[in-house]
Amino acid sequence: KSDSDFLNKLKIVDEEADESLFWLEFIQELEIDCNKTELEKLIKEADELVSIFSAGIKTIKSRNNKK
C-alpha cells in the first residue's frame, strides 16, 4: 500500500511540475519582458524535475509489476 500511496503522490508532483514547465514555456513564447537568462534556467530546471519524477514513476510501476 505504501508504494501505491507514494506513486499517487509522485504522479501529482509530476503533473504539477509539468504544468509549471508549460507555463514557463508559455511565458517564453509570449516574449514577455523578463529576465530571459533566469527564465531559461527555470525552464531547464523544471524540465529536469519532470524527467526525474517521470523516471521515478516508471521505476515504481516496473518494480510493482515484478511482484
Side-chain angles (χ1 to χ4, degrees), residues 13-14 16-25 38-54:
V13 171
D14 185 54
E16 295 296 332
D18 191 49
E19 184 174 354
S20 296
L21 177 59
F22 167 81
W23 286 111
L24 289 167
E25 291 173 337
E38 189 66 26
L39 181 59
E40 287 174 14
K41 281 200 265 185
L42 290 170
I43 289 171
K44 184 177 187 291
E45 185 171 355
D47 187 51
E48 290 170 354
L49 288 170
V50 170
S51 294
I52 290 167
F53 299 138
S54 296

Side-chain angles (χ1 to χ4, degrees), residues 54-65:
S54 296
I57 290 167
K58 188 175 179 181
T59 299
I60 292 169
K61 285 182 176 180
S62 173
R63 187 175 63 205
N64 287 346
N65 287 337

